Amino acid sequence: MDVADLLTSAGINISVCVVAFSLYSVLRKQPSNACVYFTRRYISETIRHDDPFSLHRFVPSAGWIMQAWRATDEEILEAGGIDAVVFMRIVVLSIRIFIIAAVICVFLVLPVNYYGKDMEHRNFRFESIDVFTIGNVEEGSKWLWAHCLALYIITCAVCVLLYLEYKSITKMRLAYITGSHPNPSHFTVLVRGIPWSQDHSYSKSVESFFSTYYPDTYVDHQMIYRPSTVHKLKKDAKKMYRILRPVETEYVRGDKPCYLCGGTAHTFKLLQNGEDSIRSQTSIDELHPTQIEKECPAAFVFFKNRYAAVVAAQVLQSSNPMLWVTQLAPEPHDVYWSNLGIPYKQVWVRKIVVLLIALAFVFVFLFPVTLVQGLTQPQVLIHWFPQIKEVLKLKFLNRLVTGYLPSVILILFLYTVPPIMMLLSRIEGNVSRSDRKRSACIKILYFTIWNVFFVNVLSGSFINQMSIFSQIKELPMMLAKQVPTQATFFTTYVLSSGWASLAFELLQLFALICNILRRFILRSKKEPTNIALTFPHHTEIPRLLLFGLLGFTLSILAPIILPFLLVYFFLAFLVYRNQILHVYVTKYESAGQFWPIVHNATIFSLVLTQVIAVAVLAMKKSPMASGCTIPLIIISLLFNEYCRKRFSQVFKRNPAQVLIEMDRRDEQWGKEEGIYNRLRSEYCQLAYISRDLTISKDFSVAGPNRQSRTDHNSPQGADENSLKQGTHHIKLQK
């Protein structure tokens, strides 16, 4: 591939981005698309539309870019929570790292690679990409020290920036814990593996166990029941009617009947509004006379203070580690209720099965990757499809087929990965939605790094893929030989997968098509439901980290990728800020739990780059430069170990010192009674079943910590005021 081919691919993607961004700036102004591009406002308030015949609605503009650029971290925090702020800091960190790498490598390494051999250079447009790689440097050249120096500068910059970011995010997480309103999850422990007794129910066993061993701090518990289904609810129509009966409603003519329970849809709305009154009169324990048969061997156990809950969550409760297994409970809105009923003894079996399925999927995916690799080589493509030989003689089509098409095909195959990994993470038995998304994020990250990077570098056929496992010792040398030769493919992959994916993320094509079908094809006048989307951390973080890996490994081997990579990160900064502010809704908060994944993946990318550099410099017969690179590997690993000891524990466990101070503060302010009254209702399984059966905009936008309509004289109003104080505290810490 020459520079002209690369420019052709860049031109296609630039055109796609310009068209998509222009189309977005027009579509977002249309009143009918408010539910697609302003979802956060749409579900919380009535949006006033402009004059439908105004001209500016149909003229592309860059106003949204300026709004995204001017948005502050405080606005991001208010809109998306800590996780959104952490994600944007990942993007900013990537920009800082690769600005340093681009300046060093483009002005120092790239000229060394270009003039590395005594040769006559052709017109720049028709130069091969290979002349910009380290493969163009003569063996034993003293200029190879430039690559070693550049790697030292990049390594030092990455370590310093990672340390500062880790420290800052850790402070932000602690500020969130200490400054926010009392979180029910801090007082609650999830207990699984409750032993079966013929004499009494699981509920009695839990009460007896914790009353005996935690008599001073145990408050109450809430059993977990088998998850209900629509079929089951239809059979229990009479039972649901008895729950709804305390709400006296007047039948309003025109209300559509609810065929689930015989009432009206209006009745269900009143159930949501009168939830607290119903819950005070009806307990989930009274739903069925044979409730003992419906109990699962799991429960939420409530304690008087945070410190007692942490101790109970971390202590081994029984001599048999498979019984009375405890952990801190997830936030109420973060609970994945359908997985709580899984017996704890099945969890490790499920994890093994999921691991085997994921490995099998990785190997099955070798076939499309091999196909994509064949498309990048014209001679292989002609061998597979002899009839296109004449077509490939046309320069533009040759550039399109061998330069742009392979990365597009690979991207289409990769779109099948996130749903499959989310399904596997669900089967795994994760008890919270954030854990499920985090587990899927790790799986997708491993999958993309292996299939997009290693498989494309090391292979040409399925047999060659298998042979690398018998040559592990030669893996660095194989990477050193093949990585520079794949620079063109990875550069076009950044263009097609990076730039174009941001354009489609901005357009929200799936939601837009559904909205068009609903409004203009089906002619439905009903308000859309279930449109609130949470931010897809499990897909976007692996993409950022994969591009980071490509940037690190090719920074000194083929620096030509760095300008294109920087453009991607700058576009990502604008697009993701816009989406967080207007589209995605925060339903639960993990307080930055994705950051350790980012840190570890960055260190892995840095160490892999250093290993490849050692092998490349050794192949280029520069043993001194190769030997001087080895200490960088040791320094990076020691730095990672220091960060693991210094910071990572805060993301796994809450500090006792902080929790005790919070308990004392609540005791001084007299908040204990209010907290105790909330615990059981917050983890009431009936409440979440009823929410699933109703249509409530307030619930969608309120999320775990916010309410759209709140009486400031009520306990909920006090909680919201506390949350605002906590958010302000986070701002000060930042």
Side-chain angles (χ1 to χ4, degrees):
M1 183 186 234
D2 54 30
V3 175
D5 297 336
L6 182 61
L7 293 178
T8 300
S9 179
I12 293 173
N13 285 280
I14 290 174
S15 302
V16 170
C17 289
V18 170
V19 171
F21 287 7
S22 301
L23 187 61
Y24 167 74
S25 68
V26 173
L27 290 174
R28 73 194 298 268
K29 299 175 185 178
Q30 311 310 312
S32 59
N33 293 331
C35 60
V36 177
Y37 299 119
F38 296 96
T39 310
R40 296 189 69 254
R41 287 181 57 195
Y42 183 84
I43 62 180
S44 61
E45 61 186 64
T46 302
I47 300 178
R48 294 181 179 179
H49 304 307
D50 296 334
D51 181 8
F53 300 104
S54 59
L55 182 61
H56 82 279
R57 279 183 47 210
F58 304 98
V59 178
S61 62
W64 69 271
I65 296 178
M66 298 307 299
Q67 291 176 8
W69 178 264
R70 293 171 182 170
T72 63
D73 284 349
E74 285 75 15
E75 292 174 349
I76 299 294
L77 179 66
E78 183 180 357
I82 299 293
D83 289 333
V85 176
V86 170
F87 180 83
M88 291 312 306
R89 296 187 76 150
I90 296 169
V91 178
V92 173
L93 175 67
S94 301
I95 292 174
R96 291 172 178 169
I97 290 174
F98 287 107
I99 283 179
I100 297 173
V103 171
I104 297 299
C105 295
V106 170
F107 293 102
L108 177 63
V109 177
L110 193 61
V112 170
N113 291 346
Y114 188 70
Y115 296 105
K117 288 183 180 179
D118 187 10
M119 58 181 293
E120 182 179 351
H121 291 282
R122 300 180 294 171
N123 186 295
F124 181 79
R125 289 183 66 252
F126 300 102
E127 289 278 16
S128 173
I129 300 296
D130 294 337
V131 302
F132 298 98
T133 69
I134 198 173
N136 196 51
V137 182
E138 290 184 353
E139 295 182 354
S141 173
K142 62 180 181 180
W143 290 108
L144 289 169
W145 280 99
H147 300 78
C148 183
L149 176 62
L151 191 57
Y152 262 88
I153 296 174
I154 292 173
T155 300
C156 293
V158 170
C159 290
V160 171
L161 291 174
L162 275 179
Y163 174 80
L164 294 176
E165 205 64 38
Y166 218 148
K167 183 178 180 180
S168 176
I169 292 175
T170 302
K171 288 183 178 180
M172 192 187 307
R173 175 178 169 82
L174 292 175
Y176 169 78
I177 295 173
T178 58
S180 60
H181 69 284
N183 194 324
S185 63
H186 295 167
F187 299 84
T188 309
V189 171
L190 174 62
V191 183
R192 291 187 291 174
I194 302 172
W196 167 251
S197 174
Q198 295 182 349
D199 299 331
H200 43 74
S201 65
Y202 286 124
S203 180
K204 293 294 184 182
S205 298
V206 172
E207 183 178 3
S208 174
F209 182 87
F210 285 95
S211 298
T212 302
Y213 297 106
Y214 297 90
D216 298 328
T217 56
Y218 168 71
V219 175
D220 198 0
H221 71 277
Q222 173 68 56
M223 293 305 302
I224 295 168
Y225 297 83
R226 294 188 184 126
S228 301
T229 62
V230 175
H231 179 70
K232 179 177 175 57
L233 287 175
K234 287 182 178 180
K235 288 185 176 180
D236 294 341
K238 292 183 180 180
K239 175 181 64 179
M240 294 299 295
Y241 176 74
R242 284 196 295 270
I243 297 174
L244 296 171
R245 190 168 52 187
V247 183
E248 297 295 333
T249 63
E250 181 180 355
Y251 180 81
V252 180
R253 186 168 302 185
D255 283 347
K256 295 183 179 180
C258 174
Y259 299 102
L260 185 62
C261 62
T264 66
H266 189 63
T267 307
F268 278 96
K269 292 179 182 177
L270 286 181
L271 172 63
Q272 179 67 24
N273 296 334
E275 181 181 324
D276 293 334
S277 62
I278 295 175
R279 195 180 297 155
S280 63
Q281 299 178 38
T282 308
S283 171
I284 195 169
D285 294 338
E286 301 170 357
L287 289 179
H288 202 280
T290 59
Q291 60 171 335
I292 297 178
E293 299 177 1
K294 297 185 177 183
E295 289 179 347
C296 295
F300 290 110
V301 179
F302 311 120
F303 291 85
K304 290 184 178 179
N305 53 60
R306 298 173 181 85
Y307 179 71
V310 168
V311 171
Q314 297 178 0
V315 169
L316 190 64
Q317 303 293 336
S318 170
S319 57
N320 184 353
M322 299 297 289
L323 298 178
W324 299 107
V325 181
T326 55
Q327 68 178 80
L328 278 177
E331 290 185 0
H333 291 275
D334 193 17
V335 176
Y336 197 65
W337 292 96
S338 60
N339 276 0
L340 291 179
I342 298 174
Y344 185 75
K345 294 180 179 180
Q346 289 184 12
V347 173
W348 70 275
V349 178
R350 286 171 172 260
K351 290 184 180 295
I352 293 175
V353 172
V354 166
L355 177 62
L356 295 176
I357 295 174
L359 291 175
F361 183 57
V362 167
F363 285 108
V364 169
F365 208 81
L366 293 177
F367 291 102
V369 174
T370 303
L371 171 64
V372 169
Q373 273 298 306
L375 293 177
T376 62
Q377 304 170 19
Q379 63 276 13
V380 176
L381 195 58
I382 293 173
H383 176 72
W384 287 352
F385 309 102
Q387 60 271 21
I388 67 170
K389 182 176 181 180
E390 296 298 326
V391 176
L392 294 179
K393 290 182 179 180
L394 301 174
K395 288 186 177 180
F396 178 77
L397 291 178
N398 192 334
R399 293 169 183 169
L400 182 64
V401 172
T402 61
Y404 183 72
L405 189 60
S407 55
V408 172
I409 294 176
L410 181 58
I411 292 168
L412 293 177
F413 279 115
L414 287 174
Y415 273 121
T416 63
V417 176
I420 294 175
M421 294 305 177
M422 283 293 284
L423 176 61
L424 293 179
S425 298
R426 176 185 177 183
I427 297 173
E428 239 178 3
N430 293 298
V431 296
S432 69
R433 300 179 186 276
S434 59
D435 284 344
R436 181 186 62 165
K437 189 171 285 189
R438 193 158 54 249
S439 176
C441 175
I442 295 173
K443 291 182 179 66
I444 295 172
L445 177 62
Y446 289 159
F447 183 91
T448 52
I449 288 178
W450 171 253
N451 280 286
V452 176
F453 181 76
F454 285 101
V455 172
N456 278 288
V457 167
L458 298 173
S459 75
S461 66
F462 183 78
I463 297 176
N464 289 338
Q465 305 296 333
M466 298 297 100
S467 65
I468 67 171
F469 293 104
S470 61
Q471 303 173 0
I472 295 297
K473 294 181 180 179
E474 299 180 12
L475 184 59
M477 285 297 178
M478 296 171 65
L479 291 172
K481 292 178 182 178
Q482 297 299 325
V483 169
T485 63
Q486 293 295 324
T488 55
F489 172 76
F490 289 137
T491 304
T492 56
Y493 182 80
V494 169
L495 293 173
S496 54
S497 177
W499 295 12
S501 67
L502 289 175
F504 293 128
E505 163 65 27
L506 197 62
L507 283 174
Q508 293 287 303
L509 282 180
F510 180 77
L512 179 63
I513 293 172
C514 291
N515 185 55
I516 292 174
L517 290 175
R518 181 180 60 82
R519 286 185 177 272
F520 302 106
I521 305 300
L522 301 178
R523 297 288 183 177
S524 175
K525 296 183 179 180
K526 294 180 180 179
E527 293 294 325
T529 59
N530 299 326
I531 60 174
L533 302 175
T534 57
F535 192 86
H537 291 92
H538 63 293
T539 60
E540 304 312 309
I541 288 179
R543 181 180 285 118
L544 289 174
L545 295 177
L546 174 64
F547 289 151
L549 173 65
L550 298 180
F552 280 122
T553 53
L554 295 174
S555 58
I556 64 171
L557 304 182
I560 197 171
I561 195 178
L562 294 177
F564 300 104
L565 203 58
L566 269 178
V567 172
Y568 164 75
F569 285 122
F570 278 117
L571 289 176
F573 178 81
L574 296 173
V575 170
Y576 288 129
R577 283 169 78 90
N578 179 78
Q579 300 300 86
I580 290 170
L581 290 171
H582 300 299
V583 177
Y584 294 114
V585 176
T586 302
K587 297 181 180 179
Y588 50 83
E589 182 69 74
S590 71
Q593 287 284 5
F594 287 94
W595 171 253
I597 300 174
V598 176
H599 175 85
N600 294 333
T602 305
I603 292 295
F604 169 79
S605 301
L606 187 61
V607 171
L608 179 63
T609 302
Q610 295 160 355
V611 171
I612 294 175
V614 170
V616 170
L617 294 174
M619 287 175 54
K620 287 293 181 179
K621 298 182 179 179
S622 181
M624 291 295 296
S626 178
C628 288
T629 308
I630 295 177
L632 288 178
I633 302 175
I634 301 174
I635 292 172
S636 300
L637 294 175
L638 290 176
F639 169 74
N640 183 54
E641 183 63 19
Y642 170 77
C643 289
R644 190 179 69 83
K645 295 289 186 181
R646 171 65 179 83
F647 300 116
S648 66
Q649 295 302 315
V650 178
F651 290 82
K652 298 177 181 178
R653 293 177 288 182
N654 294 332
Q657 178 185 7
V658 173
L659 298 179
I660 292 173
E661 291 177 357
M662 294 174 67
D663 290 333
R664 290 175 178 173
R665 184 180 62 190
D666 289 345
E667 186 177 354
Q668 292 175 356
W669 292 355
K671 289 186 177 181
E672 299 95 330
E673 271 317 306
I675 296 172
Y676 300 157
N677 294 335
R678 286 177 52 202
L679 289 177
R680 188 173 176 88
S681 62
E682 287 288 343
Y683 285 97
C684 180
Q685 198 169 357
L686 171 62
Y688 289 90
I689 294 175
S690 66
R691 286 188 181 111
D692 291 338
L693 295 174
T694 59
I695 299 173
S696 174
K697 291 185 178 181
D698 293 342
F699 169 72
S700 299
V701 71
N705 298 323
R706 294 185 289 275
Q707 294 182 1
S708 58
R709 299 183 180 88
T710 306
D711 182 5
H712 292 282
N713 296 324
S714 65
Q716 288 87 350
D719 292 340
E720 185 175 280
N721 292 332
S722 301
L723 176 60
K724 292 180 180 177
Q725 295 174 2
T727 303
H728 179 65
H729 185 58
I730 295 172
K731 296 175 187 176
L732 295 178
Q733 287 291 340
K734 290 172 61 183

